[in-house]
C-alpha cells in the first residue's frame, strides 16, 4: 500500500468520503482534517474502531487545523487531497450563492495543500464546483492536470438512478452521461444513454427523457429541499472516493469530471465537465466523445457560462 490520502473538511461529506476511502483498503493512511477542534480526531477514532468489523487495515488520522495553517503538516506526503471544505447549501440557495464565502475558505486550503503536499493530485468538491476548481488551481499553482473537480460522476449517477427507477430496471443495466457544468448549464447526453445496450430514446419518449434531464440538473436542490439542513453527501462522497481511488491506483479509468479543457471539442482554456482518463498524475487526458450537434452546442454554452465566472473568481 503506502498510499496516503487527505480529506479536508470533516462534515457529512468529508467524513463519509474518508470512511469510503478507508474501507477500500487500498490506502495506508487516510487523514481527515477540520477547523472544529477535536472533530476530525473524534471521527478518526470512531472509524479506526470499525476496522476489525469491516476488515480493513487503513489507518485514519484526525487533525484539527487552524486558520493560520497550523496542523496542515499532517497532510505531508499525500498522494491525493480531496477538498470538501466550505459551507453547504440551504433550501432556496443556488450553488453560486456560496461563491464568496467558499472562495476564501478554498483559497486558504489550496495554499496550505501546495505548501505541505506539493506532489498531490487535488480533487475539489466544494461549491460552486467549476469555479472552486479553477480557484484551487490558481491558488495552488499546481499543473492543471493535477487539479480536478467532482461533478460529472455525481450528476451521471443521479441520471442513471432516475432512468433505472423510471424503467424499473437494475441500475447496472443503465449507462448515462452528463457533461458541462455542475449546475444550470449541466449537459446530460441522451445520445450516450443506454439500457442493456439499447438506446434510451427507443425506450422512453423524448418528453420523458427531458423530464429526467431536468430532475438530474436539479438533483442536488431536490435533496437539499427535503433535508432542510445540509445537502447531499452519500452519492457525492461515493463519486469523490472513486476518483481518488482511480488516481491512487493509476488505473486509467475514464470518468466524467471537471477538468481543464484546452482545444478539445473546440473549447479553449476553461475548467469544464468532460470525460477524462484518470491516473497518478491526475487527468492523463480529456476523452472526447461523439456528441450530437445539440449536445455539443450545450457543452460550448456551458463553457462560456463557467468561463465568465471562473475569471471573476480569480479576484476573490
Amino acid at each position: 500500500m503506502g498510499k496516503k490520502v487527505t480529506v479536508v473538511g470533516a462534515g457529512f461529506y468529508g467524513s463519509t468520503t474518508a470512511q469510503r476511502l478507508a474501507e477500500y483498503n487500498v490506502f495506508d493512511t487516510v487523514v481527515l482534517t477540520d477547523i472544529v477542534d477535536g472533530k476530525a480526531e473524534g471521527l478518526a477514532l470512531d472509524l479506526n474502531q470499525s476496522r476489525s468489523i469491516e476488515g480493513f487495515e487503513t489507518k485514519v488520522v484526525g487533525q484539527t487545523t487552524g486558520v493560520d495553517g497550523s496542523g496542515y503538516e499532517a497532510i505531508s506526503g499525500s498522494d491525493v487531497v480531496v477538498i470538501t471544505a466550505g459551507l453547504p447549501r440551504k433550501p432556496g440557495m443556488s450553488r453560486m450563492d456560496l461563491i464568496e464565502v467558499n472562495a476564501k475558505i478554498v483559497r486558504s486550503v489550496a495554499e496550505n495543500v501546495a505548501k505541505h503536499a506539493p506532489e498531490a493530485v487535488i480533487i475539489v468538491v466544494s461549491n460552486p464546483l467549476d469555479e472552486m476548481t479553477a480557484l484551487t488551481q490558481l491558488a495552488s499553482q499546481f499543473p492543471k492536470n493535477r487539479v480536478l473537480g467532482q461533478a460529472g460522476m455525481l450528476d451521471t449517477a443521479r441520471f442513471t438512478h432516475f432512468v433505472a427507477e423510471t424503467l424499473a430496471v437494475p441500475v447496472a443495466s443503465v449507462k448515462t452521461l452528463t457533461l458541462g457544468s455542475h449546475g444550470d448549464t449541466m449537459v446530460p447526453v441522451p445520445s450516450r444513454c443506454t439500457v442493456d445496450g439499447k438506446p434510451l430514446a427507443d425506450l422512453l419518449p423524448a418528453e420523458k427523457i427531458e423530464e429526467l434531464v431536468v430532475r438530474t440538473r436539479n438533483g442536488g436542490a431536490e435533496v437539499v429541499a427535503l433535508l432542510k439542513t445540509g445537502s447531499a453527501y452519500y452519492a457525492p462522497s461515493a463519486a469523490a472516493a472513486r476518483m481518488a481511488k482511480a488516481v491512487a491506483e493509476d488505473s486509467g479509468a475514464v470518468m466524467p469530471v471537471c477538468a481543464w479543457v484546452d482545444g478539445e471539442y473546440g473549447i479553449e482554456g476553461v475548467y469544464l465537465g468532460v470525460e477524462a482518463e484518470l491516473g497518478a498524475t491526475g487527468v492523463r487526458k480529456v476523452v472526447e466523445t461523439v456528441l450530437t450537434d445539440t449536445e455539443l452546442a450545450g457543452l460550448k454554452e456551458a463553457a462560456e457560462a463557467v468561463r465568465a465566472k471562473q475569471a471573476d473568481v480569480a479576484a476573490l
Side-chain angles (χ1 to χ4, degrees):
M1 296 202 296
K3 293 283 183 183
K4 182 174 182 178
V5 60
T6 290
V7 180
V8 179
F12 286 131
Y13 194 146
S15 58
T16 311
T17 302
Q19 177 187 357
R20 294 188 192 282
L21 291 168
E23 289 179 353
Y24 286 158
N25 210 29
V26 298
F27 295 95
D28 187 46
T29 309
V30 174
V31 179
L32 181 62
T33 75
D34 202 90
I35 57 166
V36 177
D37 188 34
K39 182 176 186 180
E41 289 88 343
L43 290 168
L45 181 60
D46 192 11
L47 279 167
N48 282 324
Q49 290 167 358
S50 76
R51 292 192 302 158
S52 63
I53 301 169
E54 285 299 314
F56 64 91
E57 293 294 340
T58 302
K59 290 186 176 65
V60 185
V61 175
Q63 178 65 53
T64 300
T65 55
V67 288
D68 59 353
S70 58
Y72 272 96
E73 56 277 1
I75 80 168
S76 67
S78 293
D79 300 280
V80 189
V81 176
V82 182
I83 300 179
T84 77
L87 299 184
R89 284 195 283 171
K90 293 185 172 68
M93 286 177 79
S94 75
R95 292 181 179 94
M96 293 310 297
D97 290 336
L98 300 170
I99 192 163
E100 287 200 28
V101 63
N102 281 356
K104 291 181 177 65
I105 296 168
V106 170
R107 178 182 286 280
S108 170
V109 171
E111 288 169 352
N112 281 301
V113 172
K115 181 178 177 183
H116 294 283
E119 301 303 314
V121 170
I122 303 178
I123 297 171
V124 181
V125 301
S126 307
N127 273 317
L129 188 279
D130 306 280
E131 292 72 24
M132 291 302 107
T133 304
L135 178 64
T136 296
Q137 191 279 322
L138 288 167
S140 67
Q141 290 294 294
F142 279 12
K144 293 182 175 75
N145 60 287
R146 285 207 281 127
V147 179
L148 60 157
Q150 188 288 110
M153 279 284 283
L154 169 60
D155 297 326
T156 296
R158 286 173 170 159
F159 198 11
T160 296
H161 166 69
F162 295 144
V163 169
E165 194 178 44
T166 300
L167 291 170
V169 297
V171 287
S173 67
V174 180
K175 298 279 182 286
T176 70
L177 179 64
T178 62
L179 303 175
S181 80
H182 189 47
D184 296 338
T185 49
M186 188 188 301
V187 184
V189 186
S191 71
R192 281 281 305 279
C193 300
T194 60
V195 179
D196 282 325
K198 298 187 193 102
L200 184 59
D202 291 354
L203 302 168
L204 286 173
E207 60 270 19
K208 186 62 185 177
I209 294 174
E210 179 58 23
E211 195 181 298
L212 298 181
V213 164
V214 171
R215 192 176 178 195
T216 299
R217 194 172 284 133
N218 298 324
E222 184 178 354
V223 174
V224 169
L226 288 165
L227 291 176
K228 297 178 182 63
T229 54
S231 53
Y233 56 93
Y234 286 123
S237 67
R242 285 288 165 180
M243 288 168 62
K245 185 172 185 272
V247 171
E249 294 183 331
D250 196 21
S251 73
V254 175
M255 299 177 174
V257 301
C258 179
W260 183 254
V261 177
D262 207 12
E264 296 86 1
Y265 296 109
I267 295 167
E268 301 285 340
V270 67
Y271 269 101
L272 188 65
V274 289
E275 285 186 291
E277 185 181 299
L278 303 190
T281 55
V283 174
R284 289 184 189 169
K285 65 176 182 182
V286 170
V287 178
E288 291 185 75
T289 189
V290 177
L291 300 176
T292 66
D293 290 347
T294 304
E295 290 160 355
L296 182 59
L299 190 61
K300 289 184 172 177
E301 188 182 319
E304 293 317 306
V306 296
R307 187 194 307 281
K309 295 188 181 76
Q310 286 175 18
D312 292 344
V313 93
L316 293 173

